[in-house]
Amino acid sequence: MAKYRKLGRTSNQRKAMLRGLTTALINNGKIVTTEMRAKEVRKIAEGLIALAVKEKDNFETVTVKAKVAKKDADGKRVKEEKDGKKVTVYEEVEKQIKKDKPSRLHARKQMLRVLYDVTEVPAAGKGRKKNTKKVDLPAKLFDEIAPKYAGRNGGYTRIVKIGQRKGDAAMEVLLELV
């Protein structure tokens, strides 16, 4: 018996397609695709979620001092003149950050090997290019998804059959996080 489905693609095309579908599933919570693709994506996604559940509490909180530019009421940087040049004024701030322990860091890197980078673009037309931000999918897995499934032993996804696709009559399904 085969370990995976070839899905009519070469290996690099197949891996890219499965990475894209897995990224979309983790980012959006559900995707619509064919039944065979969904079964392959399910294997990958459940592995990532199991990894996140295992390592979700494996970090320590550290206080760090950081230099941050001082800003005025409009949100612009405050500048003062020194030796005839305008120089930005900085202030020291203490921040709490999560520092991954080695096993969680390894899990994060394994997740990044599978997941693509996601950029969130606002729906409004004005300032779309300027207001884009990167989504940290491993952090989403650790902080949002893993706590939901902490008491579960597998079975993190559900496949619901929708019906046949009009063009080629392939069975379409909805793959969602439970």
Side-chain angles (χ1 to χ4, degrees):
M1 192 169 159
K3 292 187 179 182
Y4 57 88
R5 294 169 179 85
K6 293 187 180 175
L7 304 171
R9 306 218 186 287
T10 60
S11 60
N12 57 349
Q13 291 173 343
R14 181 176 55 252
K15 287 175 189 172
M17 179 185 61
L18 293 174
R19 281 182 71 189
L21 288 170
T22 305
T23 302
L25 176 65
I26 300 295
N27 191 32
N28 303 323
K30 60 183 172 182
I31 56 172
V32 176
T33 184
T34 63
E35 188 175 11
M36 293 302 127
R37 289 179 185 177
K39 287 180 180 178
E40 285 298 306
V41 171
R42 171 186 244 178
K43 289 180 195 175
I44 300 166
E46 294 217 2
L48 291 177
I49 295 169
L51 194 60
V53 167
K54 182 180 168 195
E55 298 291 338
K56 72 178 172 63
D57 296 326
N58 203 0
F59 65 89
E60 55 192 8
T61 309
V62 182
T63 305
V64 221
K65 290 182 180 178
K67 281 187 174 181
V68 180
K70 197 173 187 179
K71 296 187 177 178
D72 60 3
D74 299 333
K76 294 185 179 181
R77 291 181 175 194
V78 175
K79 297 193 178 207
E80 72 179 26
E81 237 178 85
K82 283 189 179 175
D83 300 329
K85 294 180 181 178
K86 287 190 176 181
V87 181
T88 307
V89 179
Y90 291 96
E91 56 189 2
E92 221 170 82
V93 180
E94 287 192 3
K95 290 185 176 182
Q96 297 280 338
I97 60 166
K98 288 182 181 178
K99 184 179 176 191
D100 290 344
K101 290 191 176 170
S103 60
R104 180 170 159 145
L105 179 64
H106 180 63
R108 180 182 296 275
K109 287 183 178 181
Q110 284 180 314
M111 289 173 188
L112 287 171
R113 228 174 26 189
V114 175
L115 301 170
Y116 283 124
D117 293 337
V118 176
T119 305
E120 206 170 80
V121 181
K126 191 173 184 182
R128 285 184 67 183
K129 206 168 196 177
K130 192 169 94 175
N131 296 329
T132 60
K133 56 184 172 184
K134 268 189 139 184
V135 178
D136 188 11
L137 286 182
K140 183 175 182 176
L141 274 164
F142 286 130
D143 300 337
E144 294 174 28
I145 296 173
K148 282 198 303 189
Y149 301 120
R152 261 181 115 102
N153 294 327
Y156 309 119
T157 58
R158 173 189 305 138
I159 294 179
V160 180
K161 291 186 180 182
I162 296 174
Q164 291 184 325
R165 193 161 52 193
K166 197 167 187 172
D168 60 354
M171 180 57 76
E172 276 200 318
V173 296
L174 174 72
L175 177 63
E176 59 186 354
L177 299 175
V178 177

